[in-house]
Amino acid sequence: VGPNHPNTLTALHSLANSINAQGRHAESEQLYLKAMTTRHAVLGRDHPQTLDSVASMANFTHSQGRYAEALFMHEKAYESRVKVLGADHPSTIESLSGVAICKLSLGQATEAQPALQQVWEARKRVLGPHHPNTLASLNNLATCLKKLGRLPEAEQ
């Protein structure tokens, strides 16, 4: 199979997730980076698996408090996923959510709110109103509205 085979890269990506879950962040970051860069070289920038690696790297980077760096990666993943998968694909919606959450983390609630609204509406439409991801999106939107001082809207 070899080190650059798509199945090997999927295993590397999964290993990064497992090691990260164990709290071995420096090691997992290197594995995420290797999976992302190798997938980019082998599969291409806009391949869905490459975009999965970009999104995972962005999520990891956000979890380490590097919000501006994570925002950049989430924006790139979102832009590519819209082109490759379409705006209503769950992975595309997840990337838009990542963009919005990064903006919230950076204190940019005004910029995050429209994206959070869009994520909630898209998930209601695509996943249904009671799906856990839809409900999480509603919670994120309410949190943002609360930060903006729009408590009556947040309570709805």
Side-chain angles (χ1 to χ4, degrees):
V1 173
N4 292 336
H5 190 277
N7 291 349
T8 304
L9 298 174
T10 297
L12 181 63
H13 185 97
S14 295
L15 179 61
N17 287 335
S18 295
I19 288 175
N20 189 49
Q22 295 171 13
R24 297 161 47 195
H25 302 301
E27 193 177 347
S28 66
E29 181 172 15
Q30 293 308 309
L31 293 172
Y32 281 127
L33 187 58
K34 182 176 181 180
M36 183 178 71
T37 57
T38 307
R39 279 178 163 174
H40 183 274
V42 172
L43 302 173
R45 182 185 71 178
D46 289 334
H47 190 279
Q49 289 180 1
T50 303
L51 298 175
D52 288 345
S53 285
V54 173
S56 290
M57 188 71 195
N59 288 332
F60 171 81
T61 303
H62 184 271
S63 75
Q64 299 303 298
R66 297 173 3 224
Y67 305 132
E69 187 180 346
L71 175 60
F72 178 78
M73 286 185 273
H74 276 302
E75 287 174 335
K76 292 298 175 193
Y78 175 67
E79 291 167 9
S80 293
R81 282 176 162 170
V82 167
K83 286 190 299 190
V84 174
L85 303 173
D88 278 346
H89 190 280
S91 294
T92 305
I93 299 166
E94 183 64 30
S95 287
L96 181 57
S97 178
V99 168
I101 296 302
C102 285
K103 287 180 178 182
L104 258 177
S105 297
L106 288 164
Q108 300 170 2
T110 301
E111 293 82 2
Q113 188 272 324
L116 289 168
Q117 182 78 36
Q118 185 178 343
V119 168
W120 177 56
E121 290 171 1
R123 283 183 169 160
K124 276 194 306 184
R125 188 174 58 255
V126 173
L127 303 175
H130 304 295
H131 189 280
N133 290 352
T134 304
L135 298 174
S137 298
L138 179 58
N139 182 65
N140 292 339
L141 177 58
T143 299
C144 181
L145 291 169
K146 183 179 175 189
K147 285 183 180 191
L148 292 170
R150 294 163 54 185
L151 199 54
E153 286 177 78
E155 290 175 343
Q156 293 176 343

